[in-house]
Amino acid sequence: MSKNPQHCGCDEGSRLVSRRSVLRAALAAAAVGATTYTVGDVSTQVSFAGAGWNGETLVVLSLHGGFDGLSAVVPGGDGAYYANRPNIAVPRASLLGLDQMFGLHPAMAPLVPFWKNGTFGVVHAVGQSDPTRSHFAAMEQMELAAPGSSVRTGWIDRTLGSLGTGSVLNAVGFSNQTPRSFAGPNQETTMTSLEDFNLIGPGDDRPTWHAALRRMHTGARPEVGAPATTLITAMENVAQLKGAAAGPANGATYPGTDLGKAMAQAAILKKSGAPVQVIALDYGDWDMHAGLGRVDGGWMRDKLTELSSALAAFATDLGPAFGSTTLLTLSEFGRRVGENASGGLDHGHGNAVLLLGGGVVGGRVHGVWPGLGADRLVDGDLAGTTDYRAIIGEVLQKRCGAGSLSTIFPGFGGPQLGVVRAR
Amino acid sequence: MPTSPVVSRGSRRAAPTPFAHESAAAQLHLLRRATWGPTPAALAEVARLGTAAWIDRQLNPGTVDDGAVDAFAGRMPFYWRSAADLISGGYAATGWNAMLATGRLTLARQIWSERQLFEVVVDVFNNVLNVTNPSSEVWGCRQDYDRNVVRRHAFGGFGDMLVASARHQAMLIYLDNASSTAQHPNENYGRELMELHTLGVEAGYSEEDVKNSARLLTGLTIDARGNAVFDANRHDGGGRTIFGFVVPPHAPADGGGWIDAYLRWLAVHPLTARRISLKLATRFVSDTPPATLLDAMTRTWLQTGGQIVPVLRALFDSAEFWASAGQKVRTPQEDYVATLRTLGTRMETSGVEGITKIFWHVLDQGHAPMGWAAPNGYPDVAAAWTSPSGTLNRWNRHMDFAAGWYPPELQFTPALQLLPSIPSTWGALVDALGVRITGQKPTADEKAGLLLYAGRSEGQACSANDPWIRNNLQYLVALTLDSPTFTIR
């Protein structure tokens, strides 16, 4: 076992991937390539970036539970919205940045500067091709993103396969669980935080621990051996970044919540220059069947406040790195247009996707608005006029350097909306 | 996989049969699946009784003395209070105490209860009929739900459990049925009842079925004093059909009877029988259990009207169960519990501080018992849990527990006392640690890694006086817990 953990990781990566024909070419490139990344005054050269990485980072923020896009990006110009929500509608007078049709919930005030400078935008009436109102079926379908096919890998995993990988930091999830979108043969890393991402125990002994653990897992069944090996390599890589990581920059202030902490970690990772192609985060608890609240207080107001302040802090903290970052939100479905008697909203369909980043065409609501008139609704729901894959696909092609989308979204094609500018 | 010849021992069904599996490997396999982790004492017990008698004993938990853990449960008075009692006292008097007691006691029972199979099955049904604990609205009733819904019926009838669940404050609040009315039905419970608790989303019911399900369930609510009640004034007595279940127009006062009939019809629907059998088989057999096993379990479910014990017997009687060794990976929570069990860690002598700290730990790591945030319960397949961060959490807790660092209130066995004596060579030492901790010798790769860490060769002489052993054995124990073999359920 080499004494140099970086070489360790690379050898191990090559060994793991050599069995995967689909990645052979990308890995051969990774094995000879080298990337220098810098944290503070520490500069580290490592041979781990995939050849396909162009420097862009896609941040996927999952709003699990069924985000009500109509409360966030409010169709204040549509009278049917107010007729359907007599108790929980956001009053037109309180909407921010209202145009002919849409305005933002006032709790989204922290994002207004980005709306104004054109780096925060929205696509409305986004849906899935085969809508279901089951959280679990809808989430699974969205994270696999291959409806009607037998593909069982996740779309982020296929994205890594398409762009080229070779680093365990290519895709990082800040979460306790591995998202379904990571399922598949490529290496992703999940962690609760960079700071805690190391073994406790004998301090001076880590190289020996790591070597012993690698050896012990050599012949392990893949579902045990692969995460163990990925972990050891990722710990070695992260150890180099985190020591030098400074606090938030540019006066950014994150909310002191799980989301705020996770976004702050994501910013550290991005600012380090490490080859992070995708960062996945989960911000759940949007399942508001009862007690959604009103514009001046309650569940939705509080959630939108936290979400908006975390996103604004992230954009501010990134500084120049904001230019090579694109964040998008995804939620398995939107909510019913009409409120129920519990002051909440049952499961629906069409939803809003939020986009934030240096290349975003913001300050406006994209997509085709189907309207909320009774004759325009589909079974009481906002219709989905834009497939969510069209948005991700455009970001992958224009920002992340993906060529064809055929392996990422099998069987899916369609025109681009113009939600981001090409790099 | 066990290799002993198949010999019939008067099994309960005519199918070819099972309990010929008395090899040490088969006994180890049984304990990895039917308990929260083998211990030397449990392995000795199953070796003495044989697997069939061991299973019989565990399926009759009333015959298993559990005095120590019962006494421990007495240290958590909030857990024993009724929902109506706590709710009438108000949130300020209770806060999260009852929910936390429920989580902590469940964890303690997993670690220390002698009724291990019961504790495993309780966990399965806590996930089938999940009410997230702790979660904000069920502060006054989650402990009552645990006692009177899940634990009361876990070895009884599923129909009884389902009715008890539908009519319990915790479920009424958690999935919003308490606020559902004829004029404005709330669809949450009506949908999850079909999707998660019974038929499954792939059953093929329509959106209209979901709406009708929600409409029929109106009337089940909670009164001003916190009691779960049927309020006819809120019930929609219209006639309807729900996925084939026909409800005629009826007087609202008869609504409660129609609701129970619907729940009991769902409980013994063949799709429910198969889906809950799948949940059990996923826990005990594999991430993708064979159809032949599911067929047998489903048949038993339908023949017995959804009695859980006979379905479990069908599972443990099956060739598929015995052939499934090595096919499951432990969940993070199971790994914590199995670690404490195999190390022989004992509960604190007084108070509940130790279990409280362990509970916070598993809660922070995203796997406290009953802590899954969504109504679908924790997944129980390797793909959901095998991640780098999960691996790191497991390895770090192994180190904590092996060294007895944390939590200090628990009584840890010092690493030097795990083996009766230190073997004479390093190879024999790592083998002995493997057997003591995982139930079997380490694989060649594991052994090589352990020796690499110790910096010794296999044949090198070893003794209890070696300073390395006196100072570092706990690290070698932690590494043994980190071995792939220990991850196997």
Side-chain angles (χ1 to χ4, degrees), chain B residues 315-389:
Chain B
L315 187 156
F316 289 114
D317 278 358
S318 73
E320 293 89 340
F321 169 76
W322 294 98
S324 69
Q327 294 180 20
K328 286 291 295 187
V329 174
R330 284 176 169 154
T331 62
Q333 180 196 356
E334 192 183 358
D335 191 287
Y336 280 39
V337 172
T339 301
L340 292 165
R341 284 176 59 75
T342 198
L343 291 176
T345 305
R346 296 175 307 285
M347 58 184 84
E348 55 255 70
T349 51
S350 64
V352 294
E353 198 52 38
I355 197 70
T356 296
K357 288 173 179 169
I358 297 273
F359 178 77
W360 287 130
H361 239 145
V362 292
L363 190 72
D364 288 347
Q365 311 298 358
H367 209 173
M370 305 171 285
W372 184 253
N376 59 339
Y378 284 107
D380 191 11
V381 292
W385 294 114
T386 48
S387 68
S389 66

Side-chain angles (χ1 to χ4, degrees), chain A residues 133-134 200 205 209 221 341-342, chain B residues 179 184 195 207 326 453 479:
Chain A
R133 288 203 189 92
S134 154
I200 62 167
D205 233 9
W209 264 128
R221 43 193 295 147
S342 325
Chain B
S179 64
H184 299 284
E195 175 174 337
E207 279 303 309
Y453 179 70
L479 266 183

Side-chain angles (χ1 to χ4, degrees), chain A residues 68 70-72 74-75 81-92 94-95 105-106 288-301 304 335-346:
Chain A
D68 179 40
L70 293 172
S71 285
V74 179
Y81 165 77
Y82 292 99
N84 272 290
R85 298 186 172 186
N87 298 298
I88 62 169
V90 185
R92 191 179 157 97
S94 63
L95 294 174
H105 191 293
M288 305 182 189
H289 283 278
L292 179 141
R294 292 168 181 264
V295 67
D296 55 350
W299 192 351
M300 178 60 82
R301 196 276 308 257
L304 286 177
R335 319 279 310 181
R336 201 70 56 83
V337 173
E339 69 185 48
N340 62 25
S342 325
L345 296 162
D346 291 319

Side-chain angles (χ1 to χ4, degrees), chain A residues 1 132-137 175-178 180 188-192 196-202 205 208-209 211-213 215-221 223-224 226-232 234-235 287-290 336 339-342 346-347 379, chain B residues 176 179-181 184-188 191-192 195-196 201 207 211 326-329 364-366 372 374-376 382-389 391-392 395-397 399-400 405 444-446 448-450 452-453 475 478-480 482-484 487-488:
Chain A
M1 193 57 64
T132 158
R133 288 203 189 92
S134 154
H135 288 293
F136 317 104
S175 165
N176 292 312
Q177 275 102 42
T178 303
R180 198 76 179 82
E188 292 92 358
T189 299
T190 53
M191 61 181 78
T192 47
D196 296 335
F197 199 63
N198 54 259
L199 288 176
I200 62 167
D205 233 9
T208 316
W209 264 128
L213 285 163
R215 183 71 187 86
M216 290 174 71
H217 284 79
T218 311
R221 43 193 295 147
E223 67 267 43
V224 176
T229 307
T230 300
L231 166 65
I232 296 164
M235 284 191 297
D287 195 16
M288 305 182 189
H289 283 278
R336 201 70 56 83
E339 69 185 48
N340 62 25
S342 325
D346 291 319
H347 302 179
D379 200 19
Chain B
D176 303 306
S179 64
S180 190
T181 64
H184 299 284
N186 185 308
E187 294 172 18
N188 204 15
R191 178 187 305 278
E192 304 301 18
E195 175 174 337
L196 303 178
V201 71
E207 279 303 309
K211 288 177 178 168
Q327 294 180 20
K328 286 291 295 187
V329 174
D364 288 347
Q365 311 298 358
W372 184 253
N376 59 339
W385 294 114
T386 48
S387 68
S389 66
T391 304
L392 179 61
W395 291 355
N396 281 342
R397 296 297 78 72
M399 190 64 247
D400 266 342
W405 285 337
D445 289 321
E446 290 168 350
L450 293 165
L452 172 66
Y453 179 70
Y475 302 132
L479 266 183
T480 304
D482 296 347
S483 67
T487 66
I488 299 304

Side-chain angles (χ1 to χ4, degrees), chain A residues 1-2 36 39 47 74 91-92 111 161-162 179 182 194 201 224-225 227 284 298 334 336-337 355 367 381 398:
Chain A
M1 193 57 64
S2 163
T36 299
V39 179
S47 52
V74 179
R92 191 179 157 97
L111 287 169
S162 167
F182 279 9
L194 293 167
V224 176
R336 201 70 56 83
V337 173
L355 287 149
D381 297 342
K398 288 190 180 169

Side-chain angles (χ1 to χ4, degrees), chain B residues 53 60 148 172 177 260 271 296 318 358 402 419 422:
Chain B
N60 290 285
N148 290 313
L172 286 165
N177 208 65
D260 287 358
L271 291 171
S318 73
I358 297 273
L419 296 176
I422 298 297

Side-chain angles (χ1 to χ4, degrees), chain B residues 21-33:
Chain B
H21 303 289
E22 299 303 351
S23 66
Q27 291 168 355
L28 180 61
H29 167 56
L30 174 62
L31 290 194
R32 281 178 174 164
R33 297 294 172 82

Side-chain angles (χ1 to χ4, degrees), chain B residues 2-5 9 18-28 30 46-55 322:
Chain B
T3 54
S4 48
R9 286 221 191 148
F19 289 133
H21 303 289
E22 299 303 351
S23 66
Q27 291 168 355
L28 180 61
L30 174 62
V46 73
R48 180 166 53 80
L49 296 175
T51 54
W54 187 91
I55 291 168
W322 294 98

